[in-house]
Amino acid sequence: MPSPPDQRCASAAWNVQGLDGEPLASRADAAVPPGWQPLPNGLPRAWLDLANEAPRILAFLSSAVHRVSLVPGGAADSLTYAYTVNGDPCFYHGRPPLAGPPPRFAALWPQLPEALRRFYLDLHDGWTFVPANSMGPLPVADWAFLSDDRFDIDADTARRMPVDPARLLAVFHNGAGDYLCLHVAEDGVTPASGMIWWHEQPAEPEAVDFMATLDAWVGLFVDEADRRQP
């Protein structure tokens, strides 16, 4: 669990920039969540806790991200992760971590993968590619069950699905209409399982290893990122 706001730590000097990468006023010793304390390579320390579950993401962060910068916000600061593809600047945006289980999903929170819960509580409430808000775990405010109107699943399709769309929680968007979801059982105890909802095959969600698939999707997306010069 993250520390309460009054226990937030002071970081070593942070680069301070906007979401577009433009420098803002210098800001040293910014108060940041404990999981954001920078490692020698500048990455937030909490990423190390996901090394086993997300090795491709960690490899990308370690070899391609050349700057992590603090973005001042009205309610809370966030982080940008800068990298390039064929020399063109690209960014991931990491929002501040949750203060605790989100009230809307508190009842099912214990069923979610432990690594995913750590990510949201210690590192980021959403870490996505700018400006598409995709290719990473979505902010909790953007989570939705597939029964939501935005997915446009009609009654006939819902009947043909192997699981109730009202129990499939979409938490990751690939930017092309497909979602990585968690199937959350009604019993409140059974661990949630991973499924991909393909928008071109809406009645046939595919069972997958959730964290392995999350890592693979991000890894494929950033595969063309330029690697830093040694």
Side-chain angles (χ1 to χ4, degrees):
M1 295 285 291
S3 299
D6 61 341
Q7 295 182 19
R8 290 158 73 90
C9 306
S11 77
W14 282 87
N15 295 308
V16 182
Q17 297 187 331
L19 288 178
D20 57 2
E22 290 298 315
L24 301 175
S26 175
R27 181 174 175 182
D29 297 326
V32 297
W36 286 9
Q37 289 301 300
L39 297 166
N41 62 4
L43 294 175
R45 185 172 301 278
W47 279 110
L48 290 182
D49 294 335
L50 298 170
N52 293 331
E53 294 92 349
R56 293 183 66 171
I57 296 177
L58 268 291
F60 158 70
L61 294 172
S62 299
S63 66
V65 169
H66 57 80
R67 186 177 62 253
V68 180
S69 301
L70 195 72
V71 179
D77 297 337
S78 57
L79 298 178
T80 58
Y81 297 70
Y83 67 103
T84 61
V85 176
N86 297 323
D88 294 327
C90 300
F91 301 92
Y92 263 81
H93 180 209
R95 297 153 186 83
L98 297 173
R104 181 184 170 200
F105 300 106
L108 58 81
W109 188 255
Q111 295 173 261
L112 304 188
E114 192 266 340
L116 189 69
R117 286 182 277 134
R118 287 204 316 268
F119 178 87
Y120 280 87
L121 294 174
D122 297 340
L123 193 53
H124 293 303
D125 174 19
W127 181 75
T128 52
F129 176 68
V130 176
N133 193 34
S134 63
M135 293 314 305
L138 290 168
V140 164
D142 294 333
W143 287 8
F145 288 99
L146 291 190
S147 53
D148 189 281
D149 290 343
R150 78 177 75 170
F151 299 103
D152 198 26
I153 297 176
D154 59 35
D156 178 64
T157 299
R159 282 192 296 270
R160 290 186 289 116
M161 293 176 70
V163 296
D164 181 357
R167 306 304 305 179
L168 271 180
L169 182 63
V171 300
F172 185 119
H173 184 212
N174 72 352
D178 308 313
Y179 287 82
L180 178 59
C181 304
L182 286 162
H183 178 226
V184 185
E186 292 186 65
D187 62 14
V189 177
T190 303
S193 57
M195 300 194 89
I196 296 174
W197 182 72
W198 304 105
H199 74 284
E200 293 185 346
Q201 298 173 300
E204 302 175 20
E206 177 184 355
V208 294
D209 180 307
F210 178 81
M211 288 303 301
T213 302
L214 185 156
D215 187 49
W217 275 16
V218 175
L220 287 170
F221 180 70
V222 299
D223 188 54
E224 295 183 356
D226 303 325
R227 267 41 189 180
R228 294 195 310 269
Q229 296 299 316

